[in-house]
Amino acid sequence: MKVDDAKSSSASFCLSIFDACNLGCAYCFNKDKKGKSIDLKLAIAFLEECFRLFPNKDKYHVDLSGKGEPLLYLRPILAIKEYCLRKQDELRKEVLVQFVCNGTLLTPQVAQILQSKGVLFGVSIDGNRAIHDANRLTKNGESTYDLILRNVNAIQNHQYVGAAATLTKKVFPLIDSLKELGKTFNTVGYKPARDCAEAFDLKASEAWAKEYEKLTIFLIQEAKRGDLKYLRILLNGDDYFGKFIKRLLLNQRVVCRCDGGISRLSLDSSGHIYPCPAAFPFDDLTLGDADNINKAKREALFQEQIRQEGCRLCEVRHVCGGECLIEKRLSGGNNQAMCLWKKHLIYLAAYLVVSLVEDCPTVYKEIKSFAKEVSMRNKSDPELVVFLNSHPELSFTEGKRIFDRQTKRY
């Protein structure tokens, strides 16, 4: 199998627009912030090369999260959005601009500007107040948890803002966290920290496994009562556990860990291209520059992913997808603490799905339908395609705006 044979309905192009941050998070992978911003001409050249490389996708994502705080650099965000609007009219395909910010600068005024331009955004906020404020302080040592929640709750249509939470060695009650964050967010994704003193060790992995056991029982009990709120919150985005549940619900088989270098490319402020922003410190993972994306390097990276070294005998490898290439370099192979935790999550996901099938088949069908709906978001909307084809006089952007208003999709 070759990299060009790896089919995906969408492609993601990541731009690290600003190498600076107003916070000093304990587990940030960017240890050497220089305050360097990306050159807009370089950014546009990169995007043009990416669109040339992936001409036939249903949908495109331009992610501005990078390795700094995007909202320190609002004007370029809006400039890139304007370029993407022109590009989607040219391609007649949706080009979504998005990012995750730390939420401290997300005032209602800033959010209104972003929403009026159609820029999607989420926030990083960790499991509960105590854990968050232990890891995500301002450079002056001030807490940020309450500020972020105030900012998000003040946003009109804040139900479209997702939360990205980081798991560390400090274990907290996961059910309590989901209930608390669920008051504000319709999407919450929990992911583990890496490459820092706060990353999982075996002890933390075992402790988190117990928390996920409690969460699984809670989700099943809620589903049996007919309440799918919290299960939907986890399936709605890119939560680690939710990802495994979706794959089992939809009987999906994966051959590699992620789309990095395959249908996802990331531009550093230096002008070099990598499979993802976390790969920026690793010279051996460079894939070229904005003028020349090296196909041979992409192919070599893809082959490294699908070989799944260290995973061959694992019975859940086609649900997991294998170890992250960054983690392999950091750990000198598979991270055993992470492997045990992920395998446990997959077993729990299987238990949850089987429990729904056996004990509440109607609820199972409902949540499977929701998982399918989420998975279809990276594909073209067939109803929108019909509408646009029947109105060739409209640009893609204008046509989609009218279609969304008429169908009350958003």
Side-chain angles (χ1 to χ4, degrees):
M1 187 177 184
K2 302 293 185 183
V3 66
D4 290 337
D5 298 325
K7 304 299 182 185
S8 63
S9 57
S10 67
S12 298
F13 314 137
C14 307
L15 294 162
S16 182
I17 61 171
F18 201 40
D19 183 15
C21 189
N22 59 324
L23 300 186
C25 300
Y27 45 69
C28 181
F29 70 86
N30 184 13
K31 308 297 185 187
D32 187 27
K33 299 181 182 68
K34 297 183 174 63
K36 183 178 180 181
S37 60
I38 201 166
D39 180 77
L40 274 177
K41 291 182 179 179
L42 176 66
I44 301 303
F46 165 70
L47 291 173
E48 285 291 334
E49 179 66 8
C50 287
F51 285 118
R52 185 198 64 77
L53 187 63
F54 301 101
N56 300 314
K57 299 298 183 183
D58 286 356
K59 192 172 290 190
Y60 298 92
H61 301 269
V62 175
D63 189 341
L64 307 181
S65 302
K67 56 181 182 180
E69 170 50 39
L71 289 182
L72 289 171
Y73 211 42
L74 182 58
R75 186 173 296 176
I77 291 176
L78 300 179
I80 290 170
K81 175 61 182 181
E82 290 302 315
Y83 160 80
C84 289
L85 288 175
R86 296 192 298 272
K87 197 67 187 179
Q88 74 176 9
D89 286 339
E90 174 191 329
L91 299 172
R92 294 190 74 78
K93 301 281 186 70
E94 192 166 16
V95 181
L96 296 167
V97 177
Q98 60 198 50
F99 61 82
V100 175
C101 63
N102 63 39
T104 61
L105 306 176
L106 194 61
T107 64
Q109 294 77 18
V110 169
Q112 195 279 328
I113 292 170
L114 294 170
Q115 289 183 327
S116 69
K117 299 294 184 180
V119 178
L120 305 176
F121 53 89
V123 300
S124 296
I125 183 166
D126 289 352
N128 60 18
R129 180 180 284 100
I131 297 299
H132 177 98
D133 285 341
N135 291 320
R136 292 181 174 272
L137 299 172
T138 68
K139 292 182 178 178
N140 295 326
E142 298 167 340
S143 63
T144 60
Y145 185 88
D146 291 333
L147 170 63
I148 295 166
L149 285 182
R150 284 199 304 272
N151 283 348
V152 175
N153 282 310
I155 297 172
Q156 187 176 13
N157 300 319
H158 76 261
Q159 66 268 29
Y160 297 117
V161 181
T166 302
L167 305 180
T168 67
K169 288 179 182 176
K170 299 183 180 75
V171 181
F172 53 82
L174 198 53
I175 296 172
D176 292 347
S177 168
L178 187 58
K179 287 181 177 179
E180 178 66 25
L181 294 179
K183 296 174 184 176
T184 300
F185 301 99
N186 286 342
T187 302
V188 179
Y190 295 93
K191 290 187 175 182
R194 67 182 174 210
D195 190 23
C196 64
E198 292 300 317
F200 281 18
D201 54 17
L202 286 171
K203 183 178 178 180
S205 175
E206 292 171 357
W208 276 119
K210 290 183 172 61
E211 284 300 318
Y212 273 92
E213 289 171 6
K214 298 174 190 175
L215 176 63
T216 301
I217 299 301
F218 169 75
L219 293 173
I220 292 171
Q221 289 172 341
E222 291 292 289
K224 287 180 178 179
R225 294 195 306 108
D227 189 347
L228 295 176
K229 173 183 175 178
Y230 298 110
L231 194 48
R232 287 175 181 268
I233 286 174
L234 295 178
L235 297 182
N236 202 31
D238 199 29
D239 175 72
Y240 232 101
F241 188 38
K243 172 177 64 177
F244 296 143
I245 296 171
K246 280 184 284 192
R247 287 175 182 172
L248 292 171
L249 282 170
L250 301 176
N251 195 27
Q252 294 174 335
R253 181 180 185 274
V254 295
V255 296
C256 57
R257 159 70 170 72
C258 71
D259 58 353
I262 303 168
S263 57
R264 177 184 299 271
L265 296 171
S266 302
L267 181 70
D268 193 8
S269 56
S270 65
H272 294 121
I273 294 173
Y274 296 83
C276 69
F280 289 162
F282 298 90
D283 292 339
D284 69 312
L285 292 178
T286 56
L287 298 174
D289 55 42
D291 297 320
N292 179 26
I293 299 172
N294 190 305
K295 184 175 180 179
K297 285 190 173 184
R298 282 185 63 227
E299 184 64 51
L301 192 67
F302 178 64
Q303 295 303 322
E304 182 181 348
Q305 287 210 60
I306 65 174
R307 280 197 301 272
Q308 294 188 2
E309 292 179 1
C311 305
R312 289 286 182 179
L313 300 179
C314 180
E315 65 272 21
V316 298
R317 65 186 183 281
H318 292 309
V319 180
C320 171
E323 182 63 278
C324 167
L325 295 182
I326 312 302
E327 193 63 59
K328 277 183 175 290
R329 282 156 176 76
L330 293 170
S331 302
N334 285 9
N335 182 322
Q336 293 306 308
M338 287 296 298
C339 279
L340 289 172
W341 177 68
K342 288 187 290 184
K343 184 180 290 189
H344 196 70
L345 258 58
I346 292 169
Y347 291 149
L348 290 174
Y351 176 71
L352 184 150
V353 171
V354 170
S355 295
L356 295 183
V357 170
E358 293 182 345
D359 298 334
C360 36
T362 301
V363 171
Y364 164 73
K365 290 178 182 177
E366 183 179 346
I367 202 64
K368 182 176 180 179
S369 177
F370 179 73
K372 185 175 181 180
E373 174 195 326
V374 172
S375 72
M376 294 297 290
R377 290 176 187 166
N378 284 329
K379 299 181 183 293
S380 297
D381 182 336
E383 293 181 24
L384 173 61
V385 171
V386 170
F387 178 83
L388 291 171
N389 288 341
S390 65
H391 294 281
E393 75 281 4
L394 298 176
S395 69
F396 180 94
T397 301
E398 184 180 6
K400 186 175 187 306
R401 186 181 298 118
I402 295 171
F403 174 81
D404 288 344
R405 187 165 60 244
Q406 289 180 353
T407 57
K408 296 181 172 58
R409 293 285 176 91
Y410 306 101

